[in-house]
Amino acid sequence: MSTTSSTTAAESTERTPLQPTAGETISHRALALLAQHRLITSPQMHQMLAPDKTRQWTSKVLSALRSDELIRSTRLPGGTRLRAWFLTARGMRVTTGWPELRGNTAQAPENAMDAALRAPHTLASVRTHLAFLADARARGDEYGPLDWVPEVAHRLPDTGGEDKLIADAVMHYTASSPRLQYRAFVEVDRATMSSERLARKLISYARFHDYVPQQPGRRGTVADQAAMLAWHRFYPRFPRVLFILTNASPITLEHRVEDLRAMTAGHHLVARLANKVPLGAAVLEDLEEHGASAPVWTPLSGPGDRCAWTEL
């Protein structure tokens, strides 16, 4: 496994349980997290990297990587002193090809301005991931800092000019008792697009669920279509679809959930998807306050009684 030349004094005397191998340094793990998530604030990095240590310890790790010109930071807008970290071009070159990042296609910010412009949505996505991470740690479930994969793209049939489905993230989660594996497509909504556009994303997921790629010169038969479904190449079971809403008043967020439920009930492709795949929505602040596994999720089909995300 690749390592970097940067090793802080803290690393020489302290180790965390987040290291999967004896040869991996905390610097390596911090770089991997930034490569995966693109932009992370100092408190968020602390929660992912070493929640059992002091924040000063995490700051030393980040300072050493900055001194080695592997990472840099940008001050977030809004008068806050909070800074967000991202990889430099050198840091991107160092992490290229690391096994734990295989398949990662998320692009790091090119500069501080790019990072600042991306920050609101990217950091909301990281907040969502951390809500699941804190809940998994409390429950003893298997879900680590790299089990949230941002910006996962899949091809769609080219109709209406749209030929890709890009999920904000794909989450890989294993519950310990009973032992069950879950995957989820996650959409993080900051109310920056219309509610109708948000609800239309359900149609894209329904199209991907039914998408059967056709080989040139061959017409698929009804008998072999199921084996040819595009998502079978990537998932043993179609991931549930979770919408996380934030950055608006409670009544606005409630209306957006209602519009998602209306799309599920009113569009034949989405209704068919809902018969086979769990669909749900929750408010990010509820996840952070009550826990990701709390009954704060509204199913997008059926009666709409709130439940845990694993019970959708």
Side-chain angles (χ1 to χ4, degrees):
M1 183 175 292
S2 302
T3 59
T4 72
S5 60
S6 175
T7 303
T8 68
E11 289 175 58
S12 65
T13 58
E14 298 184 75
R15 292 289 185 244
T16 78
L18 298 178
Q19 294 173 258
T21 68
E24 182 185 82
T25 67
I26 290 300
S27 293
H28 180 112
R29 175 53 61 95
L31 290 173
L33 290 172
L34 285 169
Q36 180 106 318
H37 299 290
R38 300 160 295 167
L39 193 66
I40 307 175
T41 66
S42 298
Q44 289 173 337
M45 178 64 80
H46 179 71
Q47 291 180 61
M48 282 193 267
L49 190 65
D52 56 334
K53 300 190 182 302
T54 66
R55 290 196 176 185
Q56 290 76 10
W57 186 90
T58 303
S59 295
K60 290 180 181 179
V61 175
L62 294 172
S63 294
L65 293 172
R66 179 177 58 187
S67 296
D68 282 350
E69 299 183 349
L70 294 168
I71 67 174
R72 62 177 300 193
S73 66
T74 184
R75 192 177 298 279
L76 298 180
T80 177
R81 297 181 61 186
L82 196 62
R83 304 192 73 86
W85 298 87
F86 58 98
L87 294 180
T88 62
R90 181 172 182 237
M92 286 185 277
R93 289 194 300 270
V94 166
T95 57
T96 297
W98 285 7
E100 65 268 47
L101 300 174
R102 189 173 293 118
N104 177 42
T105 58
Q107 295 296 313
E110 294 183 0
N111 50 50
M113 178 63 73
D114 185 23
L117 292 173
R118 292 197 202 188
H121 186 271
T122 301
L123 296 179
S125 178
V126 176
R127 281 176 60 195
T128 305
H129 168 47
L130 288 174
F132 282 98
L133 185 62
D135 196 63
R137 286 170 174 165
R139 296 170 60 86
D141 290 341
E142 295 180 19
Y143 179 72
L146 294 175
D147 288 331
W148 176 277
V149 185
E151 294 184 6
V152 177
H154 294 294
R155 289 187 60 83
L156 284 175
D158 189 10
T159 56
E162 181 187 62
D163 63 355
K164 282 187 179 180
L165 165 67
I166 304 178
D168 283 337
V170 173
M171 182 175 68
H172 303 263
Y173 191 105
T174 301
S176 296
S177 182
R179 187 170 180 80
L180 295 170
Q181 292 184 335
Y182 297 93
R183 288 178 178 83
F185 292 120
V186 183
E187 293 291 334
V188 178
D189 171 55
R190 297 184 60 256
T192 55
M193 67 174 68
S194 70
S195 187
E196 190 267 343
R197 279 188 61 197
L198 175 68
R200 280 211 315 264
K201 290 189 174 184
L202 283 166
I203 302 176
S204 295
Y205 281 106
R207 290 172 57 207
F208 179 51
H209 181 271
D210 292 347
Y211 177 31
V212 180
Q214 295 295 325
Q215 298 179 5
R218 177 182 173 182
R219 298 181 61 184
T221 64
V222 174
D224 65 9
Q225 278 187 350
M228 295 171 60
L229 288 168
W231 63 266
H232 282 176
R233 294 179 53 200
F234 308 99
Y235 310 104
R237 179 178 299 176
F238 196 87
R240 60 194 58 213
V241 183
L242 305 178
F243 287 82
I244 317 295
L245 314 179
T246 188
N247 197 48
S249 68
I251 188 65
T252 297
L253 297 179
E254 182 179 343
H255 287 162
R256 292 173 84 82
V257 174
E258 291 173 356
D259 290 343
L260 287 167
R261 284 178 52 81
M263 176 65 78
T264 305
H267 194 285
H268 70 284
L269 286 180
V270 183
R272 188 166 65 194
L273 175 70
N275 286 331
K276 301 177 181 179
V277 177
L279 312 175
V283 173
L284 175 54
E285 286 75 12
D286 288 342
L287 269 63
E288 294 175 323
E289 180 179 357
H290 303 290
S293 62
V296 296
W297 295 85
T298 300
L300 299 188
S301 62
D305 297 332
R306 290 191 173 190
C307 61
W309 71 274
T310 55
E311 298 171 350
L312 290 167

